[in-house]
Amino acid sequence: QVQLVESGGGSVQAGGSLTVACGYTSSMYCMAWFRQAPGKEREGVAVYAGAGSPSYGASVKGRFTISKDRAKSTLYLQMSSLKPEDTSMYYCAADPRPICGLLPGNYRYWGQGTQVTVSS
């Protein structure tokens, strides 16, 4: 069992930057960020699979960076060059199984989400 608590969401203008954080009680093999806008399916943003290099969704690659601070038990998502279409609820997710990827169904544990709003 793991508890995930997101923080750091807010409002920002297009072109700006924002970092969201996810505090976790136990590190798991797969640690990821997803997002979901109203009326849309949940979308994979970035994932750490074990000790490997992170992977990113096509829509955020080159603009977003996932990182982990093990000492603080915190997962981060640094977002830059933000666009209005990045407006979503951002969720932290984790799973102990080595399947990972950017499919929501691969993750058992979810945080409550933090809202990010990008205005034009």
Side-chain angles (χ1 to χ4, degrees):
Q1 191 83 12
V2 63
Q3 290 187 332
L4 306 168
V5 180
E6 300 95 334
S7 61
S11 297
V12 63
Q13 288 194 327
S17 299
L18 192 67
T19 297
V20 291
C22 171
Y24 53 85
T25 55
S26 177
S27 182
M28 292 200 162
Y29 188 85
C30 307
M31 302 287 293
W33 285 99
F34 286 80
R35 66 185 183 184
Q36 188 168 20
K40 294 190 176 181
E41 293 186 354
R42 192 161 293 191
E43 175 190 11
V45 175
V47 59
Y48 263 124
S53 298
S55 298
Y56 297 91
S59 62
V60 306
K61 199 169 185 178
R63 300 188 298 121
F64 289 13
T65 302
I66 188 173
S67 62
K68 189 190 296 185
D69 186 330
R70 288 182 172 79
K72 295 183 178 180
S73 296
T74 302
L75 185 74
Y76 297 99
L77 183 68
Q78 297 171 276
M79 303 178 286
S80 62
S81 301
L82 283 162
K83 306 174 183 179
E85 51 263 43
D86 293 318
T87 295
S88 281
M89 185 73 80
Y90 282 73
Y91 296 93
C92 179
D95 198 281
R97 300 167 295 174
I99 52 176
C100 306
L102 293 173
L103 295 176
N106 290 351
Y107 294 81
R108 290 178 178 171
Y109 302 104
W110 293 84
Q112 82 289 348
T114 187
Q115 178 68 37
V116 172
T117 301
V118 184
S119 58
S120 57

